[in-house]
Amino acid sequence: MEYEDFVLTVTPTENGEFLLATTGPLQGDARGTSRAPLSDEEWARLFAVLSEKDGAPPLTEPEARTLGERLFAALFPEPILRALERIEARLVGDPERRLRIRLQLDLQNREALRFSSLPWELAFSAVRGGFLFLSPKVSFVRHLELQRGVRPPLEGNLRVLIASAEPLGVPPIGVESEVRAIEAALGRVAQVELLPPLYKATAQSLRDALVGGAPVHVLHFIGHSDFDPESGEGALILEGAHGRKMYLPGYRLANLLRDHESLRLAVLNACWSGRATDRPDLDPFAGVAPALVRDGIPAVVAMQFPIRGSAAEAFSQKLYERLAKNDPLDAAVAEGRLAVQTKAAETGGSPASWAIPALYARSQDGLLFAPGVDPGSASEEIRRAILPFAPLIQRQTSGFVGRRWLFDRIERFTQENESGHFVLRGDPGIGKTAFVAQRVKLSKNVHHFNQRGSGVNTAKPALRSLCAQLVERYALKHSSLPLEAGEDGSYLIRLLDECSGKLKPGEKVLLMIDALDEADASALRTGANVLFIPPELPIGFFALLTTRRGDLPLDLRGAVEILDLEPKSPENLVDVRELIKTHLESPKLQEYLEHPVRTAAAFVEILAEKSEGNFMYLRHVLAELAAGEYQDQELETLPNGLLGYYAAHWRQIRQRDEERWFGLQLPVLVALTASRTPISMTRISDIVGIADRPRIRQVLDEWQPFLHRVEGSREAGRSEPRYRLYHESFREFIAAKDEVEDERVHLRAMHHRIAERLLANSP
């Protein structure tokens, strides 16, 4: 899309009026005079209403329209209005051309700057269909004309840093909810990379995050700010000593950001961050947003007044959805305003809340980012080599919370070293795969997930997939992968060296390889790492490797850090409690807490202890509590730990009907255990010698929480879903049952017998 500029300059006159002027090839030259649409008393009353101060009633829709008509008349006096109509007429019929009304601000003229402080976004014209700037076809920008050059649009991936602060003494805000909304908006876009969020931001940690690592292009702040009408000064509220409030004035924030040349946009989701004084005796650039734009940030989106959390979240999500598609900033802000209006209508918010986000800019065309590398530019052969892990990532990151400390630990390792390997070890079910999936979802890392249960654990496809991802991500000039790409790690090392020449100074790249303990090591050459992981990485490249705790020999040179995820460590238990708290609003869980009365705090502590720090345990138990199970069972009697949970479920199913257990359920489970790849119901029926498919389906339905269903296999002339055990820990639990008292079945012998039949029936 293309924007046509309608530039309005403002010059105060001696009699208290303002001279507005515009010139351009489409609208021609025009001049008109206007007065401020509100008296000081009226503006003070409106300010109180929009600020929700002193119990002022919210602005009604009729009041908003009346105010909007006065704003429209003041912004477009008669000659200017005729010029506006001329440019509008030239744009009719072309859906790709839009109108940008740019209020040009002279830094030296304080009276003119005072004019800009009014909420012009609310301008209303009935003949133009309503609020002018609520239309996605018309944008409004407060534009600062500065002598210093404007930073050119960026090329390549867009990196977004989210920072937040909730110090003591400020109302709580939905930080996690907004972070998840932004993740949802950007998670599916290949050219956007979300950096690990900076929670509890201090002035120093914010500066360190901006200058200590990969270039940051967008800074998104979630928190509070303050505006003092007596001094005209605005400030973000960050965290200070002992978690107390620390006020960071706009000019100091500008000092922190000024020399960060990669920064193109600051989004300040904080009340008052977009305010500027309307008093001519005060500095009009003492507000937060004006200070940032004056000191060189190309664009700032900020809030002029208080805004509800749900509205701010809706605005952020839509803003980033559109920016990720490389829309001009104007269009992204316009779509964000429409999202706020929709949210306000749903939740009973102010009809003027959509006008609270304000856009300040220095960029002439609104394009902050040049188009990134086209994800479809790689050849079809290259794309086919990339293993499809999107379903796994979506599944593993559903409801993800916590792990802030782990993000920070890995980030610190990459900043303190030129290259290296970070090895994350932990017991099954402690959340290693979920963490890797979340990091890949946010940052689009080159990645590989070993899945022994799906047969995705051999070196050749893994190496080819990693190589293909590097070719696509860095637009390397390779139309195909050579045969040796999957033979060993030599071709991968060549590509890493080639990519290192494309990294910007200080840029760090993290490769993610999950579940090394599930990788097939049978075909390895002597001394080689599993999957032929390079022992050394070029400068700027790091590898995050996960494995279960135990002895996995790896030859790693250079910087190496090994971190064991301890189930009962303070950090892990904080994350466990956070996950449990996210489920407390479930209606069935609320019922469970009421009969008999259990406090939420006690529930969280007891379940955290029962889980033994294991997230897989919580996945099962919380789902069952939300479904209404355990209603008559004391919390203290729930099984302990993941293996205890498996054993309790195993025992419960068996005791319902022992004849059915031995004759049907146990054979189906052992068949699933014996198979190293997903198998269909037809194959299960053939293996266990039971022709009654509905009975087998019942077993699969009963064990559904422990199974993963894969679509798309073609057997017996039709498409059939396939099944595998959801988690390797459950497979091991079953396989470890050799001869169990009262089982009456030699499970190991049965395992071998079914494995033989499985091999005999394989195509």
Side-chain angles (χ1 to χ4, degrees), residues 384-403:
R384 280 201 305 267
I386 299 175
L387 295 173
F389 290 117
L392 177 147
I393 292 170
Q394 181 178 0
R395 193 168 62 247
Q396 288 287 341
T397 58
S398 177
F400 183 92
V401 297
R403 297 308 199 204

Side-chain angles (χ1 to χ4, degrees), residues 236-256:
L236 292 189
I237 302 177
L238 301 183
E239 304 233 358
H242 309 295
R244 293 194 292 266
K245 292 188 288 187
M246 194 278 287
Y247 290 84
L248 185 69
Y251 75 89
R252 285 189 56 204
L253 178 63
N255 288 339
L256 289 179

Side-chain angles (χ1 to χ4, degrees), residues 80 111 151 162 191 195 479-480 548-549 552 587 665:
I80 301 296
E111 278 291 337
R151 299 170 189 175
I162 300 173
Q191 295 99 328
L195 299 173
S479 59
S480 63
R548 68 175 56 197
R549 291 200 287 191
L552 179 70
Q665 292 211 352

Side-chain angles (χ1 to χ4, degrees), residues 674-676 683 686-687 752-763:
S675 176
R676 287 301 183 179
R683 182 62 62 87
D686 183 52
I687 292 170
H752 287 308
R753 186 169 66 253
I754 291 177
E756 288 170 0
R757 297 179 72 172
L758 180 66
L759 291 172
N761 283 278
S762 62

Side-chain angles (χ1 to χ4, degrees), residues 640-691:
N640 294 317
L642 184 60
L643 293 182
Y645 172 79
Y646 288 155
H649 201 84
W650 181 277
R651 204 163 41 245
Q652 180 185 35
I653 297 292
R654 175 190 162 175
Q655 289 171 354
R656 288 178 188 168
D657 187 338
E658 288 210 351
E659 183 178 351
R660 184 170 180 269
W661 170 256
F662 290 114
L664 177 63
Q665 292 211 352
L666 194 56
V668 171
L669 287 175
V670 179
L672 289 164
T673 306
S675 176
R676 287 301 183 179
T677 58
I679 53 176
S680 68
M681 197 156 44
T682 297
R683 182 62 62 87
I684 295 172
S685 174
D686 183 52
I687 292 170
V688 300
I690 299 174

Side-chain angles (χ1 to χ4, degrees), residues 90-103:
R90 299 288 293 272
L91 300 180
V92 170
D94 189 345
E96 291 302 312
R97 296 177 73 194
R98 301 187 177 192
L99 179 62
R100 175 189 296 119
I101 294 175
R102 193 147 52 90
L103 191 62

Side-chain angles (χ1 to χ4, degrees), residues 602-649:
F603 171 82
V604 170
E605 290 304 315
I606 294 172
L607 191 56
E609 183 178 350
K610 288 285 181 182
S611 75
E612 298 180 353
N614 191 284
F615 288 84
M616 183 60 62
Y617 174 96
L618 292 173
R619 172 186 177 272
H620 291 297
V621 172
L622 287 170
E624 291 174 353
L625 284 165
E629 299 188 29
Y630 305 116
Q631 289 293 332
D632 299 324
Q633 186 172 338
E634 287 295 332
L635 184 61
E636 291 77 7
T637 64
L638 291 180
N640 294 317
L642 184 60
L643 293 182
Y645 172 79
Y646 288 155
H649 201 84

